[in-house]
PDB file of all heavy atoms in Angstrom:
ATOM      1  N   ALA A   9     -41.341   5.895   7.777  1.00 42.00           N
ATOM      2  CA  ALA A   9     -40.641   7.023   8.384  1.00 42.00           C
ATOM      3  C   ALA A   9     -39.235   7.139   7.839  1.00 42.00           C
ATOM      4  O   ALA A   9     -38.733   8.238   7.591  1.00 42.00           O
ATOM      5  CB  ALA A   9     -40.613   6.874   9.913  1.00 42.00           C
ATOM      6  N   LEU A  10     -38.560   5.978   7.647  1.00 40.00           N
ATOM      7  CA  LEU A  10     -37.197   5.995   7.124  1.00 40.00           C
ATOM      8  C   LEU A  10     -37.177   6.543   5.700  1.00 40.00           C
ATOM      9  O   LEU A  10     -36.320   7.336   5.327  1.00 40.00           O
ATOM     10  CB  LEU A  10     -36.581   4.595   7.159  1.00 40.00           C
ATOM     11  CG  LEU A  10     -35.161   4.495   6.602  1.00 40.00           C
ATOM     12  CD1 LEU A  10     -34.210   5.359   7.413  1.00 40.00           C
ATOM     13  CD2 LEU A  10     -34.688   3.053   6.570  1.00 40.00           C
ATOM     14  N   VAL A  11     -38.160   6.106   4.884  1.00 41.00           N
ATOM     15  CA  VAL A  11     -38.243   6.603   3.506  1.00 41.00           C
ATOM     16  C   VAL A  11     -38.402   8.114   3.504  1.00 41.00           C
ATOM     17  O   VAL A  11     -37.757   8.830   2.726  1.00 41.00           O
ATOM     18  CB  VAL A  11     -39.414   5.929   2.763  1.00 41.00           C
ATOM     19  CG1 VAL A  11     -39.614   6.571   1.405  1.00 41.00           C
ATOM     20  CG2 VAL A  11     -39.153   4.434   2.622  1.00 41.00           C
ATOM     21  N   LEU A  12     -39.238   8.628   4.406  1.00 38.00           N
ATOM     22  CA  LEU A  12     -39.451  10.058   4.460  1.00 38.00           C
ATOM     23  C   LEU A  12     -38.181  10.789   4.889  1.00 38.00           C
ATOM     24  O   LEU A  12     -37.856  11.856   4.372  1.00 38.00           O
ATOM     25  CB  LEU A  12     -40.599  10.385   5.421  1.00 38.00           C
ATOM     26  CG  LEU A  12     -42.001   9.966   4.939  1.00 38.00           C
ATOM     27  CD1 LEU A  12     -43.021  10.208   6.040  1.00 38.00           C
ATOM     28  CD2 LEU A  12     -42.386  10.749   3.683  1.00 38.00           C
ATOM     29  N   SER A  13     -37.448  10.208   5.865  1.00 43.00           N
ATOM     30  CA  SER A  13     -36.230  10.872   6.331  1.00 43.00           C
ATOM     31  C   SER A  13     -35.180  10.898   5.233  1.00 43.00           C
ATOM     32  O   SER A  13     -34.443  11.870   5.082  1.00 43.00           O
ATOM     33  CB  SER A  13     -35.671  10.181   7.580  1.00 43.00           C
ATOM     34  OG  SER A  13     -35.106   8.942   7.257  1.00 43.00           O
ATOM     35  N   LEU A  14     -35.096   9.814   4.441  1.00 43.00           N
ATOM     36  CA  LEU A  14     -34.149   9.796   3.332  1.00 43.00           C
ATOM     37  C   LEU A  14     -34.557  10.813   2.263  1.00 43.00           C
ATOM     38  O   LEU A  14     -33.705  11.463   1.657  1.00 43.00           O
ATOM     39  CB  LEU A  14     -34.069   8.399   2.729  1.00 43.00           C
ATOM     40  CG  LEU A  14     -33.377   7.341   3.582  1.00 43.00           C
ATOM     41  CD1 LEU A  14     -33.382   6.004   2.848  1.00 43.00           C
ATOM     42  CD2 LEU A  14     -31.952   7.741   3.900  1.00 43.00           C
ATOM     43  N   ALA A  15     -35.858  10.923   2.050  1.00 41.00           N
ATOM     44  CA  ALA A  15     -36.327  11.905   1.077  1.00 41.00           C
ATOM     45  C   ALA A  15     -35.961  13.317   1.536  1.00 41.00           C
ATOM     46  O   ALA A  15     -35.602  14.177   0.731  1.00 41.00           O
ATOM     47  CB  ALA A  15     -37.838  11.774   0.901  1.00 41.00           C
ATOM     48  N   ALA A  16     -35.991  13.530   2.844  1.00 42.00           N
ATOM     49  CA  ALA A  16     -35.651  14.847   3.367  1.00 42.00           C
ATOM     50  C   ALA A  16     -34.194  15.188   3.119  1.00 42.00           C
ATOM     51  O   ALA A  16     -33.835  16.358   2.939  1.00 42.00           O
ATOM     52  CB  ALA A  16     -35.958  14.911   4.864  1.00 42.00           C
ATOM     53  N   VAL A  17     -33.359  14.166   3.104  1.00 44.00           N
ATOM     54  CA  VAL A  17     -31.931  14.388   2.862  1.00 44.00           C
ATOM     55  C   VAL A  17     -31.705  15.025   1.507  1.00 44.00           C
ATOM     56  O   VAL A  17     -30.819  15.860   1.328  1.00 44.00           O
ATOM     57  CB  VAL A  17     -31.146  13.054   2.971  1.00 44.00           C
ATOM     58  CG1 VAL A  17     -29.705  13.237   2.500  1.00 44.00           C
ATOM     59  CG2 VAL A  17     -31.165  12.545   4.396  1.00 44.00           C
ATOM     60  N   VAL A  18     -32.497  14.611   0.531  1.00 42.00           N
ATOM     61  CA  VAL A  18     -32.302  15.131  -0.819  1.00 42.00           C
ATOM     62  C   VAL A  18     -33.342  16.189  -1.188  1.00 42.00           C
ATOM     63  O   VAL A  18     -33.501  16.539  -2.337  1.00 42.00           O
ATOM     64  CB  VAL A  18     -32.348  13.982  -1.857  1.00 42.00           C
ATOM     65  CG1 VAL A  18     -31.155  13.088  -1.670  1.00 42.00           C
ATOM     66  CG2 VAL A  18     -33.625  13.181  -1.754  1.00 42.00           C
ATOM     67  N   ALA A  19     -34.027  16.703  -0.179  1.00 39.00           N
ATOM     68  CA  ALA A  19     -35.038  17.724  -0.445  1.00 39.00           C
ATOM     69  C   ALA A  19     -34.374  19.065  -0.755  1.00 39.00           C
ATOM     70  O   ALA A  19     -33.218  19.290  -0.438  1.00 39.00           O
ATOM     71  CB  ALA A  19     -35.956  17.874   0.771  1.00 39.00           C
ATOM     72  N   GLY A  20     -35.112  19.954  -1.330  1.00 40.00           N
ATOM     73  CA  GLY A  20     -34.600  21.279  -1.636  1.00 40.00           C
ATOM     74  C   GLY A  20     -33.926  21.311  -2.980  1.00 40.00           C
ATOM     75  O   GLY A  20     -32.719  21.197  -3.049  1.00 40.00           O
ATOM     76  N   CYS A  21     -34.681  21.469  -4.033  1.00 44.00           N
ATOM     77  CA  CYS A  21     -34.161  21.481  -5.401  1.00 44.00           C
ATOM     78  C   CYS A  21     -33.431  20.196  -5.722  1.00 44.00           C
ATOM     79  O   CYS A  21     -32.491  20.182  -6.532  1.00 44.00           O
ATOM     80  CB  CYS A  21     -33.222  22.668  -5.618  1.00 44.00           C
ATOM     81  SG  CYS A  21     -34.014  24.274  -5.382  1.00 44.00           S
ATOM     82  N   ASP A  22     -33.843  19.102  -5.070  1.00 48.00           N
ATOM     83  CA  ASP A  22     -33.265  17.792  -5.311  1.00 48.00           C
ATOM     84  C   ASP A  22     -31.768  17.740  -4.972  1.00 48.00           C
ATOM     85  O   ASP A  22     -31.054  16.861  -5.421  1.00 48.00           O
ATOM     86  CB  ASP A  22     -33.468  17.344  -6.768  1.00 48.00           C
ATOM     87  CG  ASP A  22     -34.927  17.057  -7.053  1.00 48.00           C
ATOM     88  OD1 ASP A  22     -35.618  16.638  -6.107  1.00 48.00           O
ATOM     89  OD2 ASP A  22     -35.356  17.279  -8.197  1.00 48.00           O
TER      90      ASP A  22
END
Side-chain angles (χ1 to χ4, degrees):
L10 179 61
V11 173
L12 290 174
S13 72
L14 289 180
V17 171
V18 293
C21 299
D22 291 329

